[in-house]
Structures are given as C-alpha cells and as structure tokens.
Amino acid sequence: MTKYIVEGGRPLFGEVHISGAKNAAVAIIPAALMVSGPCRIENIPQISDVKLLLGILQDLGANVRYVNPHTVEIDSTKLRNGRVPYESARRCRASYYMLGALLGRFGLADVALPGGCDFGGTRPIDQHLKGFRALGAQVDTQGGFVMAEAVGGRLKGTSIFLDKVSVGATINIMLAASMAEGLTVIENVAKEPHIVDVANFLNSMGANIMGAGTDVIKVRGVPQLRGGTYSIIPDQIEAGTYMAAVAACGGEVKICNIIPKHMDCISAKMCEMGVDIQEVDDSLLVSRIGPLIRTNIKALPYPGFPTDMQPQMAAALCLAQGTSIITDSVWSSRFRYTDEFKRMGAQIQVDGNLAIIEGVDRLTGAQLEACDLRAGAAMLIAALAARGISEITNVQYIERGYEDVIGKIRAIGGRIRAVEIPEEEPVISSAG
Ligand code: UD1
C-alpha cells in the first residue's frame, strides 16, 4: 500500500506531457481480442487498468508484447473463448467490454459483472444487454456472471435506440455489431472523443463503422478483423486535471500533446473562472495570476462538461470568490469527495445531485482518503493548493487512470512523494 505526502501552497510552473486516453485504451484493448493478426497499439498509457486488461487477454490466450513502454503488440489469432472470472473483472469496470468483444467474435461470452459502485450509486448495464438482445443474443445474468450467446451462432444486424446516452453501451454494442451479419443502426448514442477513437481503431482493423461522434452510429458487420497499427488519442481528462491544478494553485503550465478541440468544454469554464488559456499547436498554455472567480458547472454527456472533471473543478472552486453550483446530470451521487474537502476547510453543501460551494480564502492540509479515481485526483489538487501537509491514502484509485502522476506533478514544481505504508500501520479512514 502506498500513500502520497503533499506539501501544498505553491504555484505550478513548467510543462506536462499528456498520456494516451484511459477510457479509449480500456475499450481498445478488449476490441483487440476481436482481431485475427498482430495489432500494434501506440500511445498506450502506463496505468493499472491497462495492465489488468492486458492480463485478461493473456489469460484468454492472446500474445501480448510491449515494444516500448507506450506501444503494445497484441496477437489474438489463437485466443480461446473462456470465462472472464470475477477476480479480474471486479477490479476494472471496463472489463464489461469483454462481453461485446467476445460475443462479436465468437457468438458467445461469459464475463463476471464488474463489481463495486464507484460513485456512490448503482451503475446499471441494462442498455448494454438490451443491445446484445436486439442483435439476437440470449442473455442471462446468473451468479454474478453475464452469459450471452448468439442464437444461430452469429449476431444479426438490427436497429437499436438507447433509452439513455451511455458511453459503455455505445461502445459495447458497436464492438458486438462490428462482426455481426448485416447492418446495425444505433441511435441516441454517446459522442465522447474516445467513442470516435474506438470506432477509428476498429475501422483501421477492417471494420465498417460510420457516424461515430454523431447521435447515430451505423455498423456494417464484417466476417473478420485483421491486424494493423493504431495510436490512441490524448487523454482529455488527464489534461483537464492538470488545468484544474493550475487554476487552484496559480502559476503557468504548458499542457502538451493534446487535441485542443477536445478541451473546449473545459477551457471555456476555466476562462469564466479567470484562468488564461492560449492554444499553441497541440498544446495549451494555462495560467492563473489573478483571483479565481466563481462559476456554475453542469456535467452532461459530450460535448457538455464531462462528469469525470467535476470533482477536480470543485477542488479549484473551493478557492474561488463567491458561490459556485455544480450539478451532475450523469451520476446523481458523485459528491462523496466533498466530505474530505470539508476537512480541509472547504464550505460545501450537497443536495442530491447538486453541490453548492462557498469559496474560502484558503484550504489547509489534512489526512485524505481517495474514494474513486477522479475524486482522488481532486484531492490531489486540493492538497497541492492547500497550506501545509496532506496525506492521501487509497492512491491505487488514482494510479488506475493517471500515468506517473508523481513525476508529472514534480516536473511542474509540486511537492509530492509516495511513501509505502507498513502493513501494521492502519490506514486512516475518514469514511466514518
Ligand atoms: C464511462 C466512463 C466514466 C464516465 C462515464 C460518463 C469508461 C471506462 N468510463 O462510464 O469514467 O464517468 O462514462 O461519461 O469509459 N446507464 C444506464 N444504463 C446502462 C448504462 C448506463 O442507465 O446500461 C446510466 C448510468 O447510470 C449513468 C449514465 O447512464 O447515469 C451514463 O453512464 P455511462 O455513460 O454508461 O458510463 P460508463 O460507460 O459506465
């Protein structure tokens, strides 16, 4: 077990290089199991979720080889269809993409349901299952496993209208449909950049997917996907997290290797908050010299403000002048992290899916416990901005999605170090 010790209260200066997008990588790796032939994936982030999914592919018989730290070669030609056990599936929600990928390639999938409820509420997959059923699969959930089998051995193209805009359901159905017989039309789909990235990956392997990034995706099934090379897009949320850190701490940081267009919804809010943003090629120069100004944020599906950024923005807004309101319309109870902020001196009231933040002049260092990935990132930002020393435990959540977070924060002048917690020292819990 590791904890982070953060000495806060300093502005940040320098450059940070953004890694490949976690939410694209965790879908593209399962997608690679559908490919017959070697498939080279570049710009893979070095994060624990990626290691876990590559491990699942290896357990199923894929050949996985790192060409360099950010390029992996996967050959699933001889992959066997097998059960994905709870032990692997429970540690990464994206393991549900194994369902669409195995069902698409073999007409049969048997995958443990991902465990936990990261955001303090349920995370249903009914829309994923509705899509598989519409494609002609018989789907059963028993003993914590989803078993899906294509009637007649192969899925059949169809029309599907999602009741709810869902990133996971859009990708899972797209995976399954890419090797189905005939045309599948999926309406009311999610439009996040990583949806487009997964579609581009599949197309570069021989799939025929049109419309990713719009409300309607059309997939003409192909009998086989072949190998190729693909590079994952930069991580919008990692970039936004470092932008929020500059907003909270002040200073000037160049956020390098991004797609500025993907950052528009975040950059616009930052500007309202008094943060200066200049676009230079594939970088953003982010600086904050004056006071932070209050704003309201409504988390919505893309191109709206991403729910995965609301905790990090809340960290900065704790220090803004005036009252800010954050509404999360995607996850209705994603505010567990606010209890930790309150212990640093923040003034926040939560009412259902609303958080009302009265800005304070300063936060003070405290013992903090990360409760999910983005909440952990938000605590890191609060700790960097706070006066004094903070200790953050449960950092395995942060390491699920942020590559070399210690190195990147240090490179921009943040004082942070990782310390191993001896087994006998109890982890300080604030979950109460
Ligand atoms: C993905 C992201 C997660 C992000 C979320 C929303 C990955 C690995 N994770 O999660 O970081 O916070 O998108 O941008 O990419 N819903 C249903 N039924 C379903 C599926 C979803 O009702 O079958 C609801 C959910 O409860 C939620 C909303 O739809 O309220 C959006 O969920 P969804 O987009 O599916 O999130 P994930 O794919 O799980």
Side-chain angles (χ1 to χ4, degrees):
M1 292 275 273
T2 307
K3 67 181 173 186
Y4 294 165
I5 313 278
V6 183
E7 205 182 316
R10 282 176 186 72
L12 304 172
F13 290 95
E15 277 188 16
V16 64
H17 289 258
I18 299 307
S19 301
K22 165 194 170 273
N23 284 349
V26 300
I28 285 174
I29 293 168
L33 77 71
M34 303 179 75
V35 178
S36 301
C39 147
R40 183 180 277 227
I41 309 170
E42 298 171 347
N43 205 27
I44 278 263
Q46 284 203 323
I47 51 174
S48 59
D49 269 14
V50 159
K51 284 187 199 128
L52 197 117
L53 288 164
L54 288 174
I56 297 179
L57 255 62
Q58 273 176 313
D59 290 346
L60 292 172
N63 219 324
V64 176
R65 182 177 76 90
Y66 267 98
V67 178
N68 65 47
H70 293 107
T71 302
V72 70
E73 208 169 80
I74 301 173
D75 190 342
S76 302
T77 312
K78 294 188 180 145
L79 185 122
R80 301 170 303 275
N81 193 6
R83 177 168 255 214
V84 177
Y86 179 67
E87 251 327 287
S88 322
R90 77 180 174 89
R91 287 160 54 210
C92 172
R93 265 204 83 75
S95 54
Y96 55 37
Y97 292 134
M98 295 290 167
L99 270 171
L102 289 170
L103 186 59
R105 176 162 174 193
F106 297 106
L108 187 69
D110 185 2
V111 179
L113 281 166
C117 48
D118 290 354
F119 308 143
T122 54
R123 293 186 70 174
I125 59 163
D126 57 297
Q127 295 304 302
H128 307 226
L129 305 188
K130 167 179 151 164
F132 299 152
R133 287 191 177 108
L135 285 163
Q138 226 163 32
V139 183
D140 263 336
T141 49
Q142 263 181 42
F145 281 78
V146 179
M147 275 167 286
E149 183 168 4
V151 178
R154 191 171 172 203
L155 297 173
K156 290 199 173 48
T158 186
S159 291
I160 301 160
F161 194 101
L162 295 180
D163 303 329
K164 177 116 196 179
V165 177
S166 157
V167 169
T170 302
I171 293 179
N172 235 341
I173 297 168
M174 198 163 76
L175 289 174
S178 58
M179 288 182 76
E181 205 180 309
L183 180 72
T184 300
V185 180
I186 322 164
E187 291 186 68
N188 195 28
V189 295
K191 295 178 281 208
E192 270 69 3
H194 44 283
I195 305 240
V196 180
D197 210 35
V198 179
N200 286 343
F201 166 80
L202 288 165
N203 283 344
S204 73
M205 302 290 144
N208 186 352
I209 301 172
M210 296 149 285
T214 72
D215 293 314
V216 183
I217 293 179
K218 292 184 181 167
V219 186
R220 194 168 288 284
V222 294
Q224 202 180 35
L225 298 177
R226 52 172 156 68
T229 298
Y230 190 78
S231 184
I232 292 178
I233 52 165
D235 196 310
Q236 176 207 33
I237 305 297
E238 189 198 16
T241 300
Y242 287 102
M243 291 166 76
V246 181
C249 300
E252 182 174 275
V253 173
K254 190 174 178 191
I255 316 277
C256 306
N257 181 38
I258 53 141
I259 298 174
K261 180 82 195 135
H262 293 171
M263 305 309 301
D264 283 354
C265 44
I266 299 168
S267 299
K269 273 295 151 196
M270 295 268 175
C271 292
E272 283 175 31
M273 290 162 65
V275 177
D276 187 63
I277 297 180
Q278 285 172 46
E279 191 180 316
V280 190
D281 302 325
D282 64 351
S283 306
L284 291 181
L285 188 64
V286 181
S287 59
R288 204 239 327 145
I289 297 153
L292 263 179
I293 303 161
R294 62 149 302 277
T295 191
N296 294 334
I297 291 176
K298 195 163 186 176
L300 290 165
Y302 191 84
F305 191 90
T307 170
D308 286 356
M309 269 302 297
Q310 64 89 344
Q312 301 89 312
M313 295 298 269
L317 290 172
C318 285
L319 293 161
Q321 291 176 348
T323 307
S324 304
I325 298 177
I326 299 183
T327 316
D328 197 323
S329 311
V330 181
W331 303 110
S332 56
S333 42
R334 197 178 188 173
F335 290 113
R336 280 187 300 165
Y337 63 84
T338 55
D339 287 336
E340 300 296 90
F341 286 1
K342 284 186 203 162
R343 296 169 55 258
M344 305 176 84
Q347 285 194 18
I348 310 182
Q349 267 187 310
V350 174
D351 184 5
N353 71 339
L354 281 187
I356 302 155
I357 304 174
E358 296 287 346
V360 294
D361 290 337
R362 78 175 63 138
L363 297 175
T364 48
Q367 307 271 4
L368 306 167
E369 187 180 337
C371 52
D372 69 57
L373 165 60
R374 306 304 172 187
M379 284 171 209
L380 208 43
I381 293 171
L384 285 167
R387 298 229 176 131
I389 293 180
S390 298
E391 285 189 19
I392 308 177
T393 52
N394 265 354
V395 298
Q396 69 278 8
Y397 282 120
I398 300 173
E399 292 171 358
R400 277 189 46 213
Y402 289 90
E403 176 174 336
D404 187 24
V405 68
I406 299 270
K408 290 187 188 187
I409 289 177
R410 280 194 183 155
I412 51 176
R415 296 205 177 167
I416 181 169
R417 67 197 159 89
V419 175
E420 285 307 307
I421 310 173
E423 282 302 310
E424 59 275 17
E425 186 185 332
V427 176
I428 296 155
S429 170
S430 59

